[in-house]
Amino acid sequence: MTVLDRTFAGDHSGSLADDVVPTEEWAAEIRRLARQRGATVLAHNYQLPEIQDVADHVGDSLALSRIAAEAPEDTIVFCGVHFMAETAKILSPQKTVLIPDQRAGCSLADSITADDLREWKAEHPDAVVVSYVNTTAAVKALTDICCTSSNAVEVVASIPEDREVLFLPDQFLGAHVRRVTGRTNLHVWAGECHVHAGINGDELAEQARTHPDAELFVHPECGCATSALYLAGEGSFPADRVKILSTGGMLDAARESKARQVLVATEVGMLHQLRRAAPEIDFQAVNDRASCKYMKMITAGALLRSLTHGTDVVDVDPETARLARRSVQRMIEIGQPGGGE
């Protein structure tokens, strides 16, 4: 009896899921089970290549959540981290949302709790709260307007200049927004994605020095984003080849780029989609160790188990979802958030 046969027979064990190899047989079974369950499979850009390849849709978290809301299927299998599946549930409250492994958390989303935000708001009672979509449902429920990395500047610019802004949770994205808007009354929470924060300026500078003809694609969550702008500002690297981009923005830029090589500063899973979008370009990671262990919890076996047994279900309290949905909808009304985080 094969691993697949044992799984279909009803084995729920985590150890079995770890044994599944992503073969063509596995991919065919994933697609069959999805049809049988009436499910659509969504995969974030940072997922393992085999998960991206078998998914019905691949993209950033907010774009995928909007696809989930419009999809005809009644079940959404979200291959990403937990806050992403929560956002899909917020925007599709009538649908069943599954995450293949509920342990897949997020260091950035976990860097601020609802209680933390309540205390911060009490210190700035008249401030407008702007939360990155990489937050929990409970934090979104206490938020005035959500944002993505591609529209964070636009969202903050829509707020009257005399109003204080509490920007959370990513300190590097917040610094980018403050730098672009010149806003002095924007307070930034000291949170970070441990993977992006680990891509440092020294690494970026060394890669730029040894690849002088490359373009740089840098995610604004990265600790090296300021260094990238510094390199451009001092003239040590051409400014027109330094691009601070969301994941969706990277894909758009890749399709338009004439470069032969691009250095990429973000989670390494993004390289798979970039190479598919522009196979003629040599995409290289600024830091090839920048891999999110939580994203990689969504394995071939975990996805198979999820579709076979309907695990793990993601629920959001209806009142929390209602309040969180309001903050997301306000963002969408301000500007299209395509190319989300």
Side-chain angles (χ1 to χ4, degrees), residues 18-258:
D18 294 337
D19 292 338
V20 173
V21 177
T23 61
E24 290 184 8
E25 178 192 10
W26 166 82
E29 188 61 19
I30 292 297
R31 295 185 178 103
R32 185 191 72 81
L33 287 167
R35 289 193 301 271
Q36 183 183 74
R37 191 173 283 280
T40 188
V41 179
L42 310 179
H44 189 270
N45 290 316
Y46 297 162
Q47 289 290 292
L48 292 165
E50 59 265 26
I51 301 297
Q52 295 187 39
D53 289 345
V54 80
D56 298 301
H57 304 280
V58 181
D60 66 75
S61 66
L62 185 62
L64 291 174
S65 292
R66 296 177 75 184
I67 288 170
E70 297 168 1
E73 292 84 2
D74 294 327
T75 297
I76 307 301
V77 182
F78 208 119
C79 300
V81 293
H82 197 270
F83 82 80
M84 299 177 180
E86 277 190 336
T87 305
K89 183 65 177 179
I90 288 165
L91 295 181
S92 306
Q94 77 286 3
K95 295 187 178 184
T96 298
V97 176
L98 306 176
I99 185 169
D101 192 326
Q102 64 182 343
R103 299 172 300 168
C106 172
S107 60
L108 179 56
D110 289 346
S111 68
I112 185 167
T113 66
D115 286 342
D116 291 333
L117 181 51
R118 288 189 189 94
E119 291 180 10
W120 202 25
K121 289 176 68 171
E123 295 169 5
H124 303 272
D126 297 322
V128 178
V129 178
V130 177
S131 292
Y132 192 23
V133 291
N134 295 34
T135 46
T136 64
V139 167
K140 286 185 178 74
L142 295 170
T143 294
D144 294 305
I145 313 171
C146 281
C147 74
T148 68
S149 61
S150 61
N151 74 356
V153 170
E154 185 179 9
V155 166
V156 170
S158 74
I159 300 167
E161 291 186 2
D162 62 344
R163 295 289 301 278
E164 284 187 297
V165 175
L166 303 184
F167 189 95
L168 62 101
D170 190 81
Q171 60 183 312
F172 300 112
L173 179 59
H176 172 68
V177 172
R178 182 187 284 148
R179 183 169 53 242
V180 174
T181 63
R183 194 146 184 158
T184 58
N185 60 351
L186 186 147
H187 308 285
V188 179
W189 188 260
E192 63 182 29
C193 161
H194 73 285
V195 175
H196 281 119
I199 306 174
N200 63 57
D202 290 342
E203 286 175 321
L204 182 72
E206 176 61 18
Q207 291 277 22
R209 185 187 66 79
T210 56
H211 300 84
D213 297 323
E215 286 188 346
L216 297 181
F217 287 5
V218 182
H219 195 284
E221 283 183 36
C222 286
C224 64
T226 299
S227 296
L229 294 172
Y230 176 77
L231 288 173
E234 69 169 5
S236 61
F237 201 85
D240 63 347
R241 287 199 267 125
V242 177
K243 305 179 189 300
I244 309 297
L245 300 164
S246 65
T247 53
M250 287 184 183
L251 287 170
D252 292 339
R255 296 184 184 103
E256 297 173 2
S257 177
K258 304 301 182 187

Side-chain angles (χ1 to χ4, degrees), residues 252-311:
D252 292 339
R255 296 184 184 103
E256 297 173 2
S257 177
K258 304 301 182 187
R260 298 179 63 183
Q261 187 174 60
V262 175
L263 304 177
V264 183
T266 191
E267 209 274 352
V268 293
M270 190 67 207
L271 294 173
H272 186 62
Q273 285 301 309
L274 288 170
R275 289 165 178 162
R276 292 183 65 176
E280 72 282 3
I281 297 175
D282 176 24
F283 292 99
Q284 295 295 327
V286 169
N287 180 337
D288 60 10
R289 304 177 307 284
S291 177
C292 176
K293 65 179 182 180
Y294 300 111
M295 284 286 184
K296 273 49 177 182
M297 285 181 174
I298 311 303
T299 61
L303 178 55
L304 183 62
R305 184 179 60 225
S306 181
L307 280 166
T308 302
H309 301 298
T311 55

